[in-house]
Amino acid sequence: MIEGYRRWVEPRAWGLPNWRVVTWFPLLAVLGSVLFIVLEISGTSSGAYWMSFGTGTDPNALLGGPRLIRSDEWLVQQSWIISQSRQGFPSVNETFPGGMDATVLMELPNTDWSTLFRPHMWGYLLLGLQHGSAWQWWIPALGLVSGAYLLLVVLMPRRPLTAALVATAVWLSPIFQWWYGPNSLWPTAWALLALAGTIWMLRDDRLWPRIVWAVVIGWLAVTAAIGLYVPFQAPPVLIFVFCFVGLVLNERPWRKGRLRRAVTRLAPLLIAGAAAIGVVVTWALTRSSVLTAVQSTVYPGARSDPTGQLLNQDPTLLGIAGAPWGQTFSTVGAPTALGPNPSESATAILLAVFVVPGLIYLVVRAVRRGSRVDFLDIAAIAVLLVVLAFLLVPGWDPVARLLLLDKVPVARLRVAFAALLPLYFALVVRRVDEMPSRRLAIVGGISGLAVAILTVVLWRELAAVSPAVLQAARLWPVAAVAIVATVCLTFVPRAAPVAAGTLLVASLVIGAAVNPFYRGVYDLNTTHVGKAMDAVEKAKPGTWVGVGSYLTMALVMQTGVRGFDGVQTYPPEKMWHEIDPGDTDEQVWNRLAHVRWTWGSGEPDFADPQRDQILGNFDACSAFAQKYVDYVVSDEAPPARSCLKVLDDVDQGATEMQIYRVVPGVRKGAP
């Protein structure tokens, strides 16, 4: 049996994994994704609306419950996606007066040519809203686990089971689960896949595999780039660039004929890279006015963070190194020592940091024994040191800006450790397999002991400053022990499968319960108030304002009507000219933000209670309302009914809403 398995995993002549090893796990992931898509099951938290409109148990909540903190997914993106569906998937969504470009920042389904490079959006166009939601959820996941797996088996061709376990653990990283979305998963998926492809192309003598790899890498490079969320793009790209240089140096280009050979092998990739850059530049040029508007906002604007800020923002290191406690278990609403909320607290298992001293020892040992320097090891160590230097060492801001690290907030830079996890696991195991020794158990024991000591120190600190987290995260000892075991076993010969298993246990404990299993997506157009708004709009189309809670904003967005509520990626010029013709509140509304309204008196006046929130006062008798607003939907009673005529009063679940028509009138007390 053992001999049969060895034959099954035997690498090809040039040291690359055979087709069985390459395909079995990605095909398994494809089958799983297809099953979930057919059943319309995803991890959306849009079931949050059931809390307002439903009664009893949500029949579509199959496992777990919605995560309200993930409002960027269920409130923002899903609302705009449903709006796109209602409007026929246009390139410019017409809800805001003047429209909003649906091809920039929001990852929305549309019929623009750039959708060819957004495979996660195809499901909406081909299968409709409900299946499309599941498609959007699982396609980026498929890309991430496949990219991680392929990198692992290219570096460890005889260890497909180990690679599958580690790849799954990468996907379950808390930083991915709490920030789950195409623009957070694709950049890391691309970087890992591109590294695997680069190694393959440098080794394989055949042309057609190199062309296939180049096409896939180039196409997904565009996918990752046009997501336009730099905090999750810059770290994986930096890792790829460092490691790509290391792989090229491994070809010893300074020797006669070696540079030409490397360039020839990589020519398809270089051509694909140039083509990808051309596509991205074309995409950007055709949206230059929108991109300029985004860059000109007050928030996020042209943000640039200084170096060496980790200890200022996370002095106890509980935020960055608090993976054992996660936030999967913690339902603590108030800020904790881990972070201000579960999403901002999300981190990754710092395997790369924990094993890098041992990897350095393995590299030095190999060189002393006559092995040539492997520049991939050197590059991996170097890029980790650069990331740690950005976090800990101030004073080199110009270089950090050149590397785009200044665009990455400290908490988001944790994605680098998730991307480095499979690379470091494979590099250590590969070195251990090449030169096994019982003494390596000592290296593993010392590394594991250091992690155990760090965990105890952090536990004592957490018990002192945020004991509520410990009470909520009851399974943290399981995660902590699993992480320590992983670090130890990674250095033990023939223990890699067990190390991968303990790593997966840690990831399951920390990240598996973050998102629910939910059937379909909750569409507010199916609610009583959504249907009432549709009836009013069909009778006489008009422009709407939602006044009150976030529900009214979501209704205006999801119904696809023309309105002044929603989440803007940049301020539509026409809309804000109508609301604030004198631009007196430009510093408030010129930002990426939720645009909401509350009842007030007089012309619109705006405040920014949070940097991504714009709250305006609405008076139906104001000149703005009388000229530009036809209907109001509200879940709060107005202070007066002047200039408002009730069209409908709708109750559903715990929510009562009124629909008004704006009518001419005179405010009480006016001359």
Side-chain angles (χ1 to χ4, degrees), residues 350-544:
L350 304 182
L351 183 72
V353 177
F354 298 153
V355 303
V356 69
L359 178 60
I360 293 173
Y361 166 79
L362 292 173
V363 170
V364 172
R365 185 186 71 148
V367 172
R368 284 181 174 178
R369 293 187 178 186
S371 297
R372 69 179 189 176
V373 174
D374 189 324
F375 287 100
L376 179 58
D377 292 331
I378 304 302
I381 295 168
V383 74
L384 175 61
L385 293 178
V386 169
V387 170
L388 292 175
F390 178 78
L391 292 172
L392 296 168
V393 181
W396 54 288
D397 293 12
V399 177
R401 282 194 290 272
L402 182 65
L403 299 176
L404 295 182
L405 289 175
D406 68 310
K407 305 300 181 185
V408 187
V410 167
R412 305 293 189 282
L413 195 60
R414 299 168 188 173
V415 75
F417 301 109
L420 285 169
L421 189 153
L423 176 63
Y424 265 78
F425 187 96
L427 292 178
V428 171
V429 170
R430 184 178 66 164
R431 285 291 184 184
V432 171
D433 285 346
E434 288 173 353
M435 294 184 175
S437 169
R438 292 182 179 180
R439 293 182 179 180
L440 292 178
I442 299 174
V443 178
I446 294 173
S447 302
L449 179 62
V451 177
I453 293 171
L454 173 65
T455 303
V456 171
V457 171
L458 294 177
W459 168 73
R460 289 173 60 87
E461 182 67 24
L462 191 60
V465 298
S466 292
V469 172
L470 292 177
Q471 295 173 7
R474 297 186 184 278
L475 294 179
W476 76 264
V478 178
V481 171
I483 292 171
V484 172
T486 300
V487 173
C488 291
L489 293 170
T490 303
F491 291 94
V492 177
R494 296 184 295 279
V498 183
T502 55
L503 178 64
L504 180 58
V505 168
S507 289
L508 283 168
V509 168
I510 299 166
V514 171
N515 295 298
F517 270 20
Y518 196 83
R519 182 184 293 112
V521 61
Y522 199 106
D523 184 354
L524 293 182
N525 290 286
T526 64
T527 63
H528 297 340
V529 65
K531 292 176 180 177
M533 290 177 64
D534 185 58
V536 170
E537 183 70 11
K538 285 181 177 178
K540 186 178 181 181
T543 304
W544 294 71

